[in-house]
Amino acid sequence: SEYIPPMFFKNLIIILISFLFSLSLQAEEKVEKNKNTEFNVYTGMFDFSDDGKRSTLVGLQHQNEDLNRDTFLGNLSPITGAMITADNASYFYTGVQAHYKIGNLNFTPSFAPGYYNQGDGKDLGHALEFKSEVQLSLELPKESQFGFSYNHLSNASLGSKNPGANSYMFNLLKKF
């Protein structure tokens, strides 16, 4: 049998420990990187200013901070989302939002063009609608926020009519 010196085992153990430590650090970095995806679940009132077509709504929005950019307008990042009303009207959108942090408060204006389907809800005059929104949210523990937002949908007079819709929502945001 061949003799293996004890120094070999000592070096092998050091290499294995170093390798495992390196894997552990990489896993921690991945956990931190993965916290850059934010989901916003919201509910509120669609077109609250129109007594005839007012309807409750629910929605989901995704934002990936890995794609954000610091610009002269602030920190900008892409958003994608969807909402549906109790009248089966739906809106699917993608756009951009800016993020401004003021202590524990976050001010987040956004703009997103999207596809609107009337369902049994309000006729907004065109399938292409533009959503302008402002959101104010408060930082909570565990990478969460609670907020309030207001938005306006409009087709910018692309259709034969452009009644628009004003909505407000309560938002729960969580980073993953």
Side-chain angles (χ1 to χ4, degrees):
S1 107
E2 194 173 312
Y3 172 74
I4 301 173
M7 190 58 129
F8 173 80
F9 288 113
K10 183 178 177 184
N11 288 339
L12 181 62
I13 289 172
I14 290 172
I15 291 170
L16 283 173
I17 290 173
S18 298
F19 178 72
L20 291 174
F21 183 71
S22 170
L23 286 178
S24 171
L25 287 178
Q26 288 175 1
E28 286 178 22
E29 287 176 12
K30 283 185 180 179
V31 168
E32 288 303 313
K33 280 186 178 178
N34 288 342
K35 293 262 181 176
N36 288 338
T37 296
E38 181 178 82
F39 286 101
N40 176 357
V41 177
Y42 56 90
T43 187
M45 188 64 62
F46 179 76
D47 204 18
F48 68 88
S49 55
D50 183 348
D51 291 334
K53 287 299 180 177
R54 169 183 320 172
S55 183
T56 57
L57 68 84
V58 294
L60 176 69
Q61 180 174 292
H62 171 261
Q63 182 251 341
N64 186 337
E65 290 185 8
D66 284 338
L67 302 176
N68 70 349
R69 299 291 178 259
D70 289 321
T71 71
F72 70 95
L73 295 174
N75 185 281
L76 300 179
S77 62
I79 55 172
T80 302
M83 69 175 193
I84 188 165
T85 72
D87 294 329
N88 291 320
S90 58
Y91 182 62
F92 301 91
Y93 59 91
T94 188
V96 65
Q97 75 177 16
H99 183 136
Y100 305 100
K101 190 164 179 58
I102 310 159
N104 283 340
L105 289 176
N106 296 294
F107 176 68
T108 313
S110 65
F111 177 77
Y115 171 73
Y116 177 75
N117 182 317
Q118 176 182 344
D120 295 326
K122 185 171 185 175
D123 180 5
L124 293 181
H126 202 274
L128 177 61
E129 296 287 329
F130 301 92
K131 178 173 73 82
S132 302
E133 182 170 299
V134 291
Q135 176 181 293
L136 189 62
S137 60
L138 176 66
E139 295 279 339
L140 299 174
K142 299 187 182 193
E143 304 283 339
S144 300
Q145 299 173 44
F146 178 75
F148 179 80
S149 58
Y150 165 86
N151 74 35
H152 177 75
L153 286 179
S154 170
N155 66 37
S157 296
L158 293 174
S160 57
K161 63 182 184 173
N162 184 19
N166 300 305
S167 305
Y168 66 83
M169 288 81 52
F170 295 96
N171 306 267
L172 183 58
L173 300 97
K174 176 76 175 150
K175 286 188 180 180
F176 292 95

